[in-house]
Amino acid sequence: MTLALDGRTAIVCGASAGIGLAIAEALAEQDANVVMFARRREPLERHAQRLNALAVRGDLTNRADLDRLVERTLAAFGGIDVLVNNGGGPPRKPALEVGDEDVELAVELLLLSAVRLTALCLPHLRASGRGRIVNITSSSVREPIANLALSNAVRPGVVGWAKTLARELGPDGVTVNSIAPGRIDTERIREVYPDGPGEADLRDIPLRRLGDAREVADVVAFLASDRASYVTGTVIPVDGGLTRGLL
Ligand code: NAD
């Protein structure tokens, strides 16, 4: 099976590290035009140069940066076929310590950024005829994670929005899917295991190891391709079997 993404233009957010960087790599390997968006200029530009991608520096929570991301993508490639909504996670906190401002910031980072950027990209995703939206969420949309109250509270909202959007965009041939990563070996994993994962943590994962960011990215590359043309409205766990729910 080849994914053949040549000629497609993909925006990947949070692309300077971790899962977003691995997604940029996977899409670039399939010859997509990749646009990498993140806050930190040095790693972003270094990796973009390596992947022959376009780097656009900016913050997901800044409207003007999102406008500029879309403008620069269109100026460079003339269209948008794939949007990967991804970025940093909210801070680690138990529910009892969550305040108003924490909730506002988490909604802005996780939900509002995806809603805003998707709206900006939508005319171009529709025009593509095979537009793809992929949201990177978390296993927290299936099972709450201890001490990650903000992720547990806000990410299910992203899935609810995505599922609604999938139904509305289906007639335009635009698919909308979400990935629910389990425990993936990136910087962010310290939010779940501040001291690193212990033996008991790994025993809780049927595959007995953390995932590699590339194992998430390869599922995204599939969803971005024509091979996934009848897949929409889904939440796909990439978690080594961690979550126990039937669906
Ligand atoms: P990471 O911290 O390694 O990388 C996050 C990337 O997003 C970086 O490039 C960072 O610069 C960028 N970023 C952060 N905030 C941003 C902002 N406001 N604007 C623009 N770019 C921003 O994280 P990761 O492990 O790659 O995770 C990606 C997403 O998946 C996060 O939301 C994370 O919470 C979620 N997730 C991760 C895991 C895991 O085990 N690693 C599990 C479930 C969910």
XYZ file of all heavy atoms in Angstrom, residues 39 60-61 86-94 98-99 101-111 113 136-138 140-141 145-156 158 187-192:
372
model
N 6.157 27.239 18.242
C 6.600 28.503 18.838
C 8.115 28.700 18.794
O 8.594 29.807 18.668
C 6.169 28.566 20.315
C 4.700 28.789 20.490
C 4.328 28.751 21.947
N 4.760 27.503 22.573
C 4.512 27.162 23.811
N 3.855 27.986 24.590
N 4.925 26.009 24.291
N -0.291 28.888 18.858
C -1.649 28.437 18.535
C -2.727 29.306 19.161
O -3.862 29.338 18.683
C -1.856 27.015 19.073
C -1.246 25.873 18.278
C -1.220 24.611 19.129
C -2.046 25.654 17.008
N -2.380 29.986 20.253
C -3.392 30.759 20.960
C -3.458 32.202 20.449
O -4.200 33.013 20.999
C -3.123 30.763 22.483
O -1.850 31.368 22.699
C -3.117 29.361 23.044
N -2.592 20.049 16.495
C -1.753 19.449 17.538
C -0.980 20.571 18.207
O -0.758 21.621 17.597
C -0.770 18.458 16.876
C 0.275 17.943 17.850
O -0.056 17.283 18.838
N 1.547 18.265 17.597
N -0.612 20.359 19.463
C 0.182 21.379 20.157
C 0.550 20.875 21.521
O 0.516 19.660 21.780
N 0.881 21.782 22.409
C 1.246 21.368 23.754
C 0.018 20.983 24.564
O -1.106 21.316 24.200
N 0.254 20.260 25.635
C -0.845 19.897 26.527
C -0.953 20.908 27.664
O -0.024 21.692 27.899
N -2.072 20.928 28.379
C -2.221 21.845 29.526
C -1.414 21.339 30.717
O -1.014 20.176 30.746
C -3.727 21.767 29.808
C -4.153 20.430 29.318
C -3.241 20.064 28.186
N -1.165 22.226 31.723
C -0.362 21.789 32.871
C -1.031 20.684 33.678
O -2.254 20.543 33.677
C -0.220 23.065 33.706
C -1.180 24.049 33.155
C -1.590 23.611 31.793
N -0.177 19.926 34.373
C -0.630 18.825 35.218
C -1.243 19.400 36.493
O -0.595 20.153 37.211
C 0.627 18.005 35.545
C 0.481 16.875 36.505
C 1.894 16.313 36.762
N 1.884 15.455 37.916
C 1.586 14.166 37.863
N 1.310 13.593 36.723
N 1.569 13.441 38.966
N -2.508 19.047 36.779
C -3.171 19.534 37.994
C -4.272 18.573 38.391
O -4.984 18.082 37.509
C -3.849 20.888 37.741
C -2.915 22.042 37.761
C -3.638 23.368 37.830
C -2.567 24.449 37.893
N -2.970 25.627 38.545
N -4.451 18.345 39.699
C -5.646 17.620 40.126
C -6.876 18.522 39.992
O -6.740 19.753 39.999
C -5.368 17.294 41.596
C -4.361 18.287 42.038
C -3.597 18.737 40.830
N -7.855 23.228 40.146
C -8.116 23.926 38.885
C -8.912 25.203 39.139
O -9.948 25.176 39.797
C -8.895 22.992 37.931
C -9.528 23.766 36.798
C -7.959 21.918 37.384
N -8.411 26.325 38.625
C -9.118 27.599 38.766
C -9.651 28.089 37.432
O -9.372 27.499 36.384
N -8.872 30.581 35.530
C -7.897 30.945 34.487
C -7.304 29.698 33.843
O -7.056 29.663 32.624
C -6.792 31.801 35.101
C -6.079 32.614 34.052
C -4.841 33.314 34.596
O -4.743 33.468 35.836
O -3.990 33.684 33.791
N -7.093 28.644 34.651
C -6.565 27.385 34.093
C -7.502 26.851 33.024
O -7.075 26.385 31.967
C -6.459 26.301 35.194
C -5.479 26.675 36.277
O -4.409 27.207 35.933
O -5.790 26.433 37.462
N -8.798 26.899 33.330
C -9.781 26.347 32.384
C -9.785 27.189 31.107
O -9.776 26.659 29.994
C -11.190 26.302 33.011
C -12.221 25.823 31.989
C -11.192 25.394 34.234
N -9.760 28.516 31.293
C -9.773 29.394 30.110
C -8.571 29.131 29.212
O -8.703 29.027 27.987
C -9.795 30.869 30.540
C -11.192 31.309 30.951
C -11.193 32.655 31.668
O -10.173 33.382 31.601
O -12.214 32.962 32.295
N -7.397 28.999 29.834
C -6.175 28.778 29.039
C -6.222 27.426 28.336
O -5.809 27.293 27.179
C -4.933 28.859 29.945
C -4.594 30.261 30.453
C -3.425 30.204 31.440
C -4.244 31.196 29.287
N -6.734 26.405 29.031
C -6.791 25.065 28.420
C -7.767 25.035 27.248
O -7.498 24.423 26.210
C -7.193 24.022 29.478
N -8.890 25.736 27.398
C -9.870 25.794 26.296
C -9.260 26.523 25.102
O -9.374 26.103 23.952
C -11.181 26.472 26.758
C -12.088 26.790 25.577
C -11.919 25.583 27.754
N -8.548 27.595 25.397
C -7.912 28.388 24.329
C -6.877 27.541 23.582
O -6.834 27.531 22.348
C -7.229 29.594 24.986
C -6.511 30.488 24.026
C -7.160 31.861 23.914
O -7.831 32.252 24.877
O -6.974 32.505 22.872
N -6.068 26.804 24.334
C -4.983 26.020 23.728
C -5.501 24.801 22.972
O -5.065 24.516 21.862
C -4.013 25.569 24.842
C -2.856 24.671 24.408
C -1.907 25.411 23.469
C -2.090 24.158 25.628
N -6.434 24.071 23.585
C -6.810 22.767 23.016
C -8.003 22.842 22.064
O -8.006 22.178 21.038
C -7.155 21.778 24.148
C -6.036 21.471 25.141
C -6.550 20.560 26.241
C -4.839 20.826 24.452
N -9.006 23.621 22.443
C -10.256 23.608 21.662
C -10.345 24.801 20.712
O -10.542 24.643 19.504
C -11.452 23.576 22.618
C -12.840 23.610 21.987
C -13.060 22.419 21.055
C -13.927 23.628 23.057
N -8.129 26.886 19.578
C -7.112 26.949 18.512
C -7.529 26.059 17.347
O -7.406 26.446 16.180
C -5.745 26.522 19.052
O -5.772 25.160 19.439
N -4.973 15.714 17.197
C -4.244 14.878 18.156
C -4.792 15.211 19.542
O -4.650 16.348 20.020
C -2.715 15.146 18.099
C -2.185 15.006 16.665
C -1.987 14.214 19.067
C -2.440 13.676 15.990
N -5.450 14.239 20.153
C -6.019 14.476 21.487
C -5.251 13.623 22.504
O -4.032 13.768 22.609
C -7.537 14.186 21.504
O -7.770 12.814 21.240
C -8.266 15.049 20.491
N -5.912 12.745 23.200
C -5.229 11.967 24.247
C -6.119 10.791 24.642
O -7.347 10.837 24.448
C -5.012 12.868 25.463
O -4.692 12.100 26.602
N -7.062 10.476 27.319
C -7.972 11.070 28.318
C -9.385 11.258 27.761
O -10.321 11.455 28.531
C -7.426 12.402 28.835
O -7.413 13.373 27.809
N -9.548 11.194 26.439
C -10.918 11.309 25.906
C -11.674 9.997 26.105
O -12.892 9.948 25.947
C -10.967 11.720 24.411
C -10.208 13.008 24.175
C -10.452 10.628 23.481
N -7.104 10.670 33.060
C -5.767 10.348 33.572
C -5.584 11.087 34.894
O -5.902 12.285 34.995
C -4.682 10.817 32.566
C -4.912 10.159 31.196
C -3.282 10.499 33.088
C -4.031 10.740 30.079
N -5.068 10.395 35.926
C -4.912 11.006 37.246
C -4.085 12.282 37.153
O -3.065 12.321 36.451
C -4.219 10.012 38.189
N -4.544 13.325 37.831
C -3.838 14.613 37.919
C -3.747 15.390 36.608
O -3.022 16.365 36.514
C -2.424 14.436 38.489
C -2.489 13.973 39.917
O -3.242 14.522 40.716
N -1.735 12.934 40.235
N -4.450 14.973 35.592
C -4.504 15.765 34.347
C -5.936 16.252 34.138
O -6.550 16.018 33.096
C -4.029 14.949 33.145
C -2.531 14.683 33.025
C -2.196 14.015 31.694
C -1.735 15.978 33.118
N -6.462 16.934 35.160
C -7.874 17.329 35.141
C -8.214 18.207 33.942
O -9.308 18.104 33.385
C -8.229 18.060 36.441
N -7.266 19.072 33.538
C -7.580 20.001 32.434
C -7.691 19.248 31.110
O -8.585 19.510 30.307
C -6.513 21.098 32.353
C -6.547 22.067 33.531
C -5.247 22.866 33.608
C -7.752 23.010 33.418
N -6.799 18.308 30.897
C -6.872 17.481 29.692
C -8.156 16.642 29.720
O -8.886 16.564 28.727
C -5.635 16.573 29.629
O -5.677 15.744 28.504
N -8.440 16.046 30.866
C -9.643 15.207 31.004
C -10.926 16.010 30.753
O -11.917 15.482 30.249
C -9.725 14.619 32.413
C -8.535 13.754 32.755
O -7.865 13.253 31.864
N -8.266 13.582 34.046
N -10.892 17.291 31.129
C -12.102 18.113 31.005
C -12.281 18.666 29.603
O -13.391 18.708 29.080
C -12.036 19.278 32.014
N -11.185 19.101 28.990
C -11.325 19.870 27.740
C -11.192 19.004 26.490
O -11.876 19.245 25.492
C -10.302 21.034 27.721
C -10.416 21.830 26.431
C -10.525 21.947 28.925
N -10.352 17.983 26.515
C -10.149 17.200 25.279
C -11.416 16.481 24.804
O -11.629 16.379 23.592
C -8.999 16.214 25.451
C -7.647 16.907 25.534
C -6.556 15.898 25.339
N -5.267 16.340 25.766
C -4.384 16.968 24.996
N -4.704 17.276 23.758
N -3.207 17.299 25.464
N -12.240 15.983 25.704
C -13.496 15.379 25.197
C -14.320 16.389 24.397
O -15.052 16.011 23.483
C -14.216 14.928 26.476
C -13.095 14.667 27.436
C -12.090 15.758 27.151
N -13.057 18.534 22.334
C -12.477 18.534 20.984
C -13.097 17.391 20.172
O -13.458 17.549 19.004
C -10.934 18.370 21.045
C -10.346 18.244 19.648
C -10.312 19.545 21.798
N 8.864 14.568 25.289
C 9.034 15.458 26.443
C 7.766 15.493 27.305
O 7.810 15.558 28.518
C 9.315 16.882 25.959
C 10.730 17.102 25.495
C 11.696 16.972 26.654
O 11.462 17.608 27.689
O 12.669 16.197 26.518
N 6.623 15.488 26.642
C 5.331 15.644 27.315
C 5.034 14.492 28.288
O 4.246 14.658 29.228
C 4.240 15.738 26.234
C 2.815 15.689 26.704
C 2.360 17.000 27.321
N 1.056 16.842 27.943
C 0.514 17.712 28.776
N 1.135 18.810 29.082
N -0.671 17.500 29.304
N 5.663 13.370 28.096
C 5.355 12.202 28.928
C 5.659 12.506 30.405
O 5.088 11.918 31.307
C 6.118 10.944 28.431
C 5.469 9.665 28.979
C 7.578 10.964 28.785
C 4.126 9.379 28.450
N 6.534 13.518 30.639
C 6.863 13.880 32.039
C 5.664 14.454 32.771
O 5.644 14.490 33.996
C 8.023 14.868 32.059
C 9.288 14.162 31.706
C 10.527 14.966 31.922
N 11.602 14.120 31.461
C 12.166 14.090 30.286
N 11.888 14.810 29.557
N 13.075 13.288 29.860
N 4.677 14.964 32.022
C 3.471 15.474 32.687
C 2.680 14.320 33.305
O 1.986 14.483 34.300
C 2.569 16.201 31.673
C 3.165 17.462 31.104
C 3.278 18.583 32.131
O 2.329 18.768 32.918
O 4.316 19.257 32.139
N 2.768 13.153 32.680
C 2.047 11.987 33.210
C 2.908 11.266 34.242
O 2.427 10.868 35.305
C 1.677 11.012 32.057
C 0.868 9.835 32.592
C 0.886 11.740 30.974
